Amino acid sequence: MLQLVKTTMAQQAQVLEFLQEWREREEKIVPNAVDRDVSDFASYVKQIRDKELRVNNVSWVPSTTYWLTDGDELLGAANIRHELNDNLLNFGGHIGYGIKPSARGRGLATKQLELALEKAKELGIERALITCDRTNVASRQVILNNGGIPDTPFTAEGGKIVERFWIELKG
């Protein structure tokens, strides 16, 4: 059964395997909230969990990171930002998510975003902003599958266009 769970010490082997798969494929790990030094795993877990309370992170917004699991396997990760700052309003939004390379193409990202939106609603977010690069057709479809309503795109430095979508969470 697919579910979102927070990071724990018991996940060390699975987290290391998850991150290694991305690195072996030389891909940018998404969401970047899980791309941290894992040489001291207790510190890794603490850093991720501290971000929920803005501990040692006054310049960034609080965020909660979840792993998409099916039993013991980590299939993806989602990072929910509890609020938006100017940067996140243009690029990043409320939720960043990614499915590990070997688990893609099975509809998992759509389910992961659905579950993350439920968590965002529990945090009191009534309207979630989700973004993706214009070239990321798969992510765009995941957002649309979850009710994303297109908003004005943002053009980042260097000309990269970021698509922006809002999803209502009320009710």
Side-chain angles (χ1 to χ4, degrees), residues 12 35 44 51 85 94 96 111 114 116 123 125 150-151 155:
Q12 183 172 358
D35 188 11
Y44 176 85
K51 289 188 181 295
N85 59 23
H94 282 102
K111 182 62 177 176
E114 176 187 325
L123 288 168
I125 298 169
D151 196 356
T155 303

Side-chain angles (χ1 to χ4, degrees), residues 89 127 129-130 134 140 148-154 162-166:
L89 191 57
R127 189 171 177 242
L129 177 66
I130 316 296
R134 178 166 277 173
R140 183 180 202 281
I149 306 297
D151 196 356
T152 306
F154 172 74
V162 178
E163 298 284 348
R164 301 167 66 249
F165 302 85
W166 290 96

Side-chain angles (χ1 to χ4, degrees), residues 55-90:
V55 175
N56 300 322
N57 196 16
V58 295
S59 66
W60 199 244
V61 301
S63 66
T64 304
T65 299
Y66 293 96
W67 296 95
L68 178 68
T69 64
D70 186 6
D72 290 336
E73 185 180 8
L74 300 184
L75 300 167
N79 179 255
I80 303 170
R81 276 76 74 165
H82 302 188
E83 59 194 58
L84 297 178
N85 59 23
D86 289 340
N87 184 51
L88 290 171
L89 191 57
N90 292 319

Side-chain angles (χ1 to χ4, degrees), residues 33-48:
V34 299
D35 188 11
R36 304 277 181 258
D37 178 11
V38 290
S39 59
D40 176 351
F41 196 72
S43 177
Y44 176 85
V45 172
K46 182 176 180 348
Q47 285 177 3
I48 287 176

Side-chain angles (χ1 to χ4, degrees), residues 113 117 128 141-150 165-168:
L113 181 55
L117 289 165
Q141 191 59 52
V142 165
I143 297 165
L144 292 172
N145 289 346
N146 277 281
I149 306 297
F165 302 85
W166 290 96
I167 299 175
E168 295 292 331

